[in-house]
Amino acid sequence: MPIPEDVTGDEIDKDVRQELQSLPKTLADDVARNLVMVARLLDEDPEGAYAYSRIALRLASRVAAVREAAGFAAYANQKYGEALAEFRAAKRMTGNIDLWPVMADCERGLGRPEKALDMAGAPEVHKLDKAGQVEMRLVAAGARRDMGQLDAAIVTLQSPELASNSVQPWTARLRYAYADALLAAGRESEAREWFAKAVEADRDGSTDASDRLAELDGVEFVDALAEDEDEDEDQDESESEDVSSEEKD
């Protein structure tokens, strides 16, 4: 697959670049450029990101960063079995447990919420940083919901991180998940309160909390462009009728 000329490979994280130093320089540069494309396309064009990840994987399957990137590209395309295999490979190579929550979420994607819950209770979770532990809590709550255990999902999300007034990178998503679980359980007024709190914390628009809040408040958004088109059509019809009347006269 072609790679834009402005992508040099130097854009990648320095730790990844260091990992690639085990490869011949030309090969390392090729792999780096493909990894840059994976990162660049992952959110907007998951299929494109996946294609570049497969190239990187073919070139350097023994590099942990390549296996991890391939895992995230597969995950973004809902290829959960493939993603889990890549994450496991990366974990074996590095001994790093940072991927534990997303590995558990792959188990959910494969229809195995019980396995995800087992992972949520494993000793590895205590080795995660705060962000990782919050992510694990979100996955565990999702697994509870997969199993129809709404009340348990709500309790799972209740934590010091949820109660805290300080805004962290995970705050909006945690509050959103809590609000969504409350709404699913029929606790609408509480859900509204937590969607509002999610909006307050969502500084980069990572959730659609504002839309959910407006929906609960009965606010309907009108597409201004569609409205203008309707007005133009009405005007055209009116002018057409006027012309027809003149012709009859």
Side-chain angles (χ1 to χ4, degrees):
M1 288 184 67
I3 296 176
E5 290 183 9
D6 66 316
V7 175
T8 65
D10 292 333
E11 302 89 342
I12 62 172
D13 185 86
K14 63 180 182 181
D15 292 336
V16 176
R17 170 59 75 176
Q18 194 168 357
E19 270 194 75
L20 296 177
Q21 285 180 357
S22 62
L23 304 173
K25 188 177 187 315
T26 304
L27 179 58
D29 289 343
D30 286 345
V31 174
R33 294 179 74 213
N34 278 285
L35 291 180
V36 171
M37 294 306 297
V38 174
R40 182 179 285 191
L41 298 175
L42 196 59
D43 292 332
E44 295 180 3
D45 180 11
E47 289 184 6
Y50 179 75
Y52 283 107
S53 78
R54 301 309 294 176
I55 296 171
L57 197 57
R58 191 171 66 244
L59 294 172
S61 62
R62 295 187 179 183
V63 175
V66 171
R67 303 303 289 265
E68 184 174 326
F72 278 110
Y75 179 80
N77 284 277
Q78 299 182 357
K79 299 177 184 289
Y80 297 116
E82 193 175 311
L84 186 56
E86 297 301 341
F87 290 142
R88 282 175 175 164
K91 180 177 175 291
R92 277 197 306 271
M93 291 174 177
T94 64
N96 195 324
I97 45 81
D98 290 350
L99 295 170
W100 197 252
V102 72
M103 288 168 65
D105 205 41
C106 286
E107 294 288 2
R108 283 187 62 211
L110 290 167
R112 301 193 293 243
E114 298 88 351
K115 179 62 177 173
L117 286 176
D118 287 344
M119 293 179 70
E124 283 85 351
V125 175
H126 300 296
K127 300 175 187 175
L128 294 169
D129 61 14
K130 182 62 70 178
Q133 289 180 6
V134 170
E135 197 64 37
M136 194 71 246
R137 192 177 287 276
L138 287 166
V139 172
R144 290 291 185 189
R145 290 190 64 173
D146 293 343
M147 298 165 70
Q149 301 173 1
L150 279 175
D151 290 341
I154 290 168
V155 171
T156 299
L157 293 167
Q158 291 170 347
S159 60
E161 293 80 21
L162 180 68
S164 174
N165 289 323
S166 69
V167 174
Q168 303 295 335
W170 60 77
T171 303
R173 289 178 59 238
L174 185 58
R175 292 177 178 179
Y176 182 95
Y178 189 58
D180 195 45
L182 288 168
L183 189 60
R187 295 159 63 174
E188 190 171 311
S189 61
E190 292 172 85
R192 191 208 170 281
E193 176 189 344
W194 282 97
F195 275 127
K197 289 183 178 181
V199 171
E200 289 173 11
D202 196 358
R203 293 166 180 169
D204 58 0
S206 61
T207 74
D208 64 348
S210 58
D211 292 342
R212 299 292 299 278
L213 184 61
E215 190 179 312
L216 282 173
D217 288 342
V219 176
E220 289 187 17
F221 293 103
V222 177
D223 189 329
L225 185 62
E227 198 173 55
D228 289 344
E229 288 175 355
D230 289 343
E231 287 179 0
D232 290 343
E233 286 177 7
D234 291 343
Q235 188 173 347
D236 290 343
E237 287 177 7
S238 177
E239 289 174 356
S240 176
E241 288 173 2
D242 290 343
V243 169
S244 296
S245 297
E246 289 173 5
E247 288 175 350
K248 287 178 182 178
D249 293 343

